[in-house]
Amino acid sequence: DIVMTQSPDSLAVSLGERATINCKSSQSVLYSSNNKNYLAWYQHKPGQPPKLLFYWASTRESGVPDRFSGSGSGTDFTLTISSLQAEDVAVYYCQQYYSTPLTFGGGTKVEIK
Amino acid sequence: QVQLQESGPRLVKPSETLSLTCSVSGYSISSGHYWGWIRQPPGKGLEWIGNIYRSGSTYFNPSLKSRVTISVDTSKNQFSLRLSSVTAADTAVYYCARISYSTYLAWFDSWGQGTLVTVSS
């Protein structure tokens, strides 16, 4: 199984400041034949289902604000919120789809400082 | 726009079988895509259970494979989850979701609201 490890477990950021979430996979999720990273990011708010933010590590889902960005390759990935807004308070998860079983990171809780 | 809705008993006794159905609207299961089940135990992260295609082809998490059945009914535009021999560890919010591609290796682009299933006597 590919183990996804997120850091930190939680972070508190002031409104308007940058939030950075890391996700590391236990093996590369970069598929060499198409040069794509098989990684997605989700935002999960209490009482709601997870919402897709990015796929292929950095392709933003339609409707996701551009203050969110995804980056990284191979085994190390980052989700960045450039200017934190109140509505961004949530738990964020990465997910690899390079191989089964599909696996998620443990989540990073983002709060307002 | 595709919408998914989970339904089924919210309370299941230990050793019995958990059964949930996901009703899909706004998109025909017969048109393609894989469809999946994911769960989240209270206070914990997300765990993939398995995926199914319109043909009935399935992929399961090995950690649950011996207890899981996923089926599809294209005439009703539904797919279902059965998890046998449940214990308290199976208490979780269960989500159904659509896989974005016609492959089982992809991201989940649409999710149901989720339903909390509690295993307790």
Side-chain angles (χ1 to χ4, degrees), chain A residues 49-78:
Chain A
K51 174 188 174 183
L52 176 68
L53 297 177
F54 293 92
Y55 50 95
W56 301 132
S58 60
T59 301
R60 189 180 293 107
E61 173 72 337
S62 175
V64 174
D66 60 8
R67 63 180 180 273
F68 289 89
S69 63
S71 63
S73 185
T75 60
D76 293 281
F77 301 90
T78 301

Short mmCIF file of all heavy atoms in Angstrom, two decimals, chain A residues 49-78:
data_model
loop_
_atom_site.label_atom_id
_atom_site.label_comp_id
_atom_site.label_asym_id
_atom_site.label_seq_id
_atom_site.Cartn_x
_atom_site.Cartn_y
_atom_site.Cartn_z
N PRO A 49 -19.74 16.73 2.71
CA PRO A 49 -18.84 15.75 2.10
C PRO A 49 -17.54 16.44 1.68
O PRO A 49 -17.50 17.66 1.51
CB PRO A 49 -19.62 15.27 0.87
CG PRO A 49 -20.50 16.43 0.51
CD PRO A 49 -20.86 17.08 1.81
N PRO A 50 -16.48 15.68 1.52
CA PRO A 50 -15.24 16.26 0.99
C PRO A 50 -15.49 16.89 -0.38
O PRO A 50 -16.32 16.42 -1.16
CB PRO A 50 -14.31 15.04 0.88
CG PRO A 50 -14.81 14.10 1.91
CD PRO A 50 -16.31 14.28 1.89
N LYS A 51 -14.76 17.94 -0.63
CA LYS A 51 -14.86 18.66 -1.90
C LYS A 51 -13.53 18.56 -2.63
O LYS A 51 -12.47 18.87 -2.06
CB LYS A 51 -15.20 20.13 -1.64
CG LYS A 51 -15.19 21.02 -2.88
CD LYS A 51 -15.35 22.48 -2.50
CE LYS A 51 -15.20 23.38 -3.71
NZ LYS A 51 -15.30 24.82 -3.35
N LEU A 52 -13.57 18.16 -3.87
CA LEU A 52 -12.36 18.05 -4.68
C LEU A 52 -11.80 19.44 -4.96
O LEU A 52 -12.49 20.34 -5.40
CB LEU A 52 -12.68 17.35 -6.00
CG LEU A 52 -11.54 17.25 -7.01
CD1 LEU A 52 -10.45 16.30 -6.50
CD2 LEU A 52 -12.08 16.76 -8.35
N LEU A 53 -10.48 19.59 -4.70
CA LEU A 53 -9.79 20.84 -5.01
C LEU A 53 -8.87 20.69 -6.22
O LEU A 53 -8.89 21.53 -7.12
CB LEU A 53 -8.95 21.29 -3.81
CG LEU A 53 -9.67 21.63 -2.51
CD1 LEU A 53 -8.66 21.99 -1.44
CD2 LEU A 53 -10.65 22.78 -2.72
N PHE A 54 -8.04 19.66 -6.21
CA PHE A 54 -7.05 19.45 -7.27
C PHE A 54 -6.95 17.98 -7.63
O PHE A 54 -7.16 17.11 -6.78
CB PHE A 54 -5.64 19.92 -6.80
CG PHE A 54 -5.53 21.39 -6.59
CD1 PHE A 54 -5.78 21.94 -5.35
CD2 PHE A 54 -5.19 22.23 -7.65
CE1 PHE A 54 -5.70 23.31 -5.15
CE2 PHE A 54 -5.10 23.60 -7.45
CZ PHE A 54 -5.36 24.14 -6.21
N TYR A 55 -6.61 17.72 -8.87
CA TYR A 55 -6.24 16.40 -9.33
C TYR A 55 -5.01 16.56 -10.21
O TYR A 55 -4.63 17.68 -10.57
CB TYR A 55 -7.41 15.73 -10.08
CG TYR A 55 -8.03 16.57 -11.16
CD1 TYR A 55 -7.63 16.44 -12.49
CD2 TYR A 55 -9.03 17.49 -10.86
CE1 TYR A 55 -8.20 17.20 -13.48
CE2 TYR A 55 -9.61 18.25 -11.85
CZ TYR A 55 -9.19 18.10 -13.16
OH TYR A 55 -9.76 18.87 -14.15
N TRP A 56 -4.39 15.44 -10.53
CA TRP A 56 -3.06 15.50 -11.19
C TRP A 56 -2.14 16.46 -10.43
O TRP A 56 -1.31 17.13 -11.03
CB TRP A 56 -3.17 15.91 -12.65
CG TRP A 56 -4.00 15.02 -13.52
CD1 TRP A 56 -4.97 15.42 -14.39
CD2 TRP A 56 -3.96 13.58 -13.62
NE1 TRP A 56 -5.54 14.33 -15.02
CE2 TRP A 56 -4.94 13.19 -14.57
CE3 TRP A 56 -3.20 12.58 -13.00
CZ2 TRP A 56 -5.17 11.87 -14.92
CZ3 TRP A 56 -3.43 11.25 -13.34
CH2 TRP A 56 -4.40 10.91 -14.29
N ALA A 57 -2.30 16.52 -9.12
CA ALA A 57 -1.48 17.29 -8.18
C ALA A 57 -1.67 18.80 -8.27
O ALA A 57 -1.58 19.50 -7.26
CB ALA A 57 0.01 16.96 -8.34
N SER A 58 -1.92 19.32 -9.46
CA SER A 58 -1.95 20.77 -9.61
C SER A 58 -3.05 21.29 -10.52
O SER A 58 -3.10 22.51 -10.78
CB SER A 58 -0.59 21.26 -10.14
OG SER A 58 -0.32 20.68 -11.39
N THR A 59 -3.92 20.43 -11.01
CA THR A 59 -5.02 20.88 -11.86
C THR A 59 -6.20 21.24 -10.97
O THR A 59 -6.77 20.39 -10.29
CB THR A 59 -5.44 19.78 -12.86
OG1 THR A 59 -4.32 19.44 -13.68
CG2 THR A 59 -6.60 20.27 -13.72
N ARG A 60 -6.52 22.52 -10.99
CA ARG A 60 -7.59 23.02 -10.12
C ARG A 60 -8.96 22.61 -10.64
O ARG A 60 -9.28 22.79 -11.82
CB ARG A 60 -7.49 24.54 -10.01
CG ARG A 60 -8.41 25.17 -8.97
CD ARG A 60 -8.27 26.70 -8.93
NE ARG A 60 -6.98 27.12 -8.43
CZ ARG A 60 -6.02 27.64 -9.19
NH1 ARG A 60 -6.23 27.81 -10.48
NH2 ARG A 60 -4.86 28.01 -8.66
N GLU A 61 -9.79 22.09 -9.75
CA GLU A 61 -11.17 21.76 -10.11
C GLU A 61 -11.94 23.04 -10.39
O GLU A 61 -11.68 24.10 -9.80
CB GLU A 61 -11.82 20.97 -8.98
CG GLU A 61 -13.31 20.67 -9.11
CD GLU A 61 -13.64 19.63 -10.16
OE1 GLU A 61 -12.84 19.42 -11.08
OE2 GLU A 61 -14.72 19.00 -10.04
N SER A 62 -12.88 22.97 -11.30
CA SER A 62 -13.70 24.12 -11.64
C SER A 62 -14.36 24.71 -10.40
O SER A 62 -14.92 23.99 -9.58
CB SER A 62 -14.77 23.70 -12.65
OG SER A 62 -15.64 24.76 -12.93
N GLY A 63 -14.27 26.02 -10.27
CA GLY A 63 -14.92 26.70 -9.16
C GLY A 63 -14.05 26.89 -7.93
O GLY A 63 -14.45 27.60 -7.00
N VAL A 64 -12.90 26.27 -7.90
CA VAL A 64 -12.00 26.43 -6.75
C VAL A 64 -11.26 27.77 -6.87
O VAL A 64 -10.66 28.05 -7.91
CB VAL A 64 -11.00 25.26 -6.68
CG1 VAL A 64 -9.96 25.49 -5.58
CG2 VAL A 64 -11.74 23.94 -6.45
N PRO A 65 -11.31 28.59 -5.83
CA PRO A 65 -10.66 29.90 -5.90
C PRO A 65 -9.16 29.79 -6.20
O PRO A 65 -8.50 28.84 -5.77
CB PRO A 65 -10.89 30.49 -4.51
CG PRO A 65 -12.08 29.77 -3.98
CD PRO A 65 -12.02 28.38 -4.55
N ASP A 66 -8.64 30.78 -6.91
CA ASP A 66 -7.23 30.68 -7.30
C ASP A 66 -6.26 31.00 -6.16
O ASP A 66 -5.05 30.97 -6.37
CB ASP A 66 -6.94 31.53 -8.53
CG ASP A 66 -7.23 33.00 -8.30
OD1 ASP A 66 -7.52 33.39 -7.15
OD2 ASP A 66 -7.18 33.78 -9.29
N ARG A 67 -6.77 31.31 -4.97
CA ARG A 67 -5.87 31.43 -3.82
C ARG A 67 -5.36 30.04 -3.39
O ARG A 67 -4.41 29.94 -2.63
CB ARG A 67 -6.54 32.12 -2.64
CG ARG A 67 -7.73 31.40 -2.04
CD ARG A 67 -8.29 32.20 -0.85
NE ARG A 67 -9.45 31.54 -0.24
CZ ARG A 67 -10.68 31.70 -0.66
NH1 ARG A 67 -10.94 32.50 -1.70
NH2 ARG A 67 -11.67 31.06 -0.06
N PHE A 68 -6.03 29.00 -3.89
CA PHE A 68 -5.57 27.64 -3.64
C PHE A 68 -4.64 27.21 -4.79
O PHE A 68 -4.95 27.44 -5.96
CB PHE A 68 -6.75 26.65 -3.59
CG PHE A 68 -7.62 26.78 -2.38
CD1 PHE A 68 -8.71 27.65 -2.39
CD2 PHE A 68 -7.38 26.04 -1.23
CE1 PHE A 68 -9.54 27.77 -1.26
CE2 PHE A 68 -8.19 26.14 -0.12
CZ PHE A 68 -9.27 27.01 -0.13
N SER A 69 -3.53 26.58 -4.43
CA SER A 69 -2.65 26.04 -5.46
C SER A 69 -2.08 24.70 -4.99
O SER A 69 -1.90 24.47 -3.79
CB SER A 69 -1.52 27.01 -5.80
OG SER A 69 -0.70 27.23 -4.67
N GLY A 70 -1.84 23.82 -5.95
CA GLY A 70 -1.25 22.52 -5.66
C GLY A 70 0.05 22.38 -6.42
O GLY A 70 0.15 22.82 -7.57
N SER A 71 1.04 21.80 -5.78
CA SER A 71 2.34 21.65 -6.43
C SER A 71 3.02 20.38 -5.93
O SER A 71 2.54 19.71 -5.01
CB SER A 71 3.23 22.86 -6.14
OG SER A 71 3.49 22.97 -4.75
N GLY A 72 4.15 20.07 -6.56
CA GLY A 72 4.95 18.93 -6.15
C GLY A 72 4.98 17.85 -7.21
O GLY A 72 4.23 17.88 -8.20
N SER A 73 5.85 16.88 -6.99
CA SER A 73 6.00 15.78 -7.93
C SER A 73 6.69 14.61 -7.25
O SER A 73 7.46 14.81 -6.30
CB SER A 73 6.81 16.23 -9.16
OG SER A 73 6.87 15.19 -10.13
N GLY A 74 6.41 13.42 -7.76
CA GLY A 74 7.08 12.24 -7.23
C GLY A 74 6.49 11.78 -5.91
O GLY A 74 5.49 11.07 -5.89
N THR A 75 7.14 12.19 -4.81
CA THR A 75 6.67 11.79 -3.49
C THR A 75 6.31 12.97 -2.58
O THR A 75 5.79 12.74 -1.47
CB THR A 75 7.74 10.95 -2.76
OG1 THR A 75 8.93 11.75 -2.62
CG2 THR A 75 8.07 9.68 -3.54
N ASP A 76 6.60 14.18 -3.00
CA ASP A 76 6.38 15.34 -2.14
C ASP A 76 5.47 16.37 -2.79
O ASP A 76 5.78 16.85 -3.89
CB ASP A 76 7.73 15.97 -1.78
CG ASP A 76 8.56 15.05 -0.91
OD1 ASP A 76 8.29 15.00 0.30
OD2 ASP A 76 9.47 14.38 -1.44
N PHE A 77 4.41 16.69 -2.09
CA PHE A 77 3.38 17.56 -2.62
C PHE A 77 2.98 18.61 -1.60
O PHE A 77 3.12 18.40 -0.39
CB PHE A 77 2.16 16.73 -3.04
CG PHE A 77 2.49 15.71 -4.08
CD1 PHE A 77 2.90 14.44 -3.71
CD2 PHE A 77 2.45 16.03 -5.43
CE1 PHE A 77 3.24 13.50 -4.66
CE2 PHE A 77 2.79 15.10 -6.39
CZ PHE A 77 3.19 13.83 -6.00
N THR A 78 2.47 19.73 -2.11
CA THR A 78 2.09 20.84 -1.25
C THR A 78 0.78 21.44 -1.72
O THR A 78 0.57 21.62 -2.92
CB THR A 78 3.18 21.94 -1.25
OG1 THR A 78 4.41 21.38 -0.79
CG2 THR A 78 2.79 23.10 -0.34
#
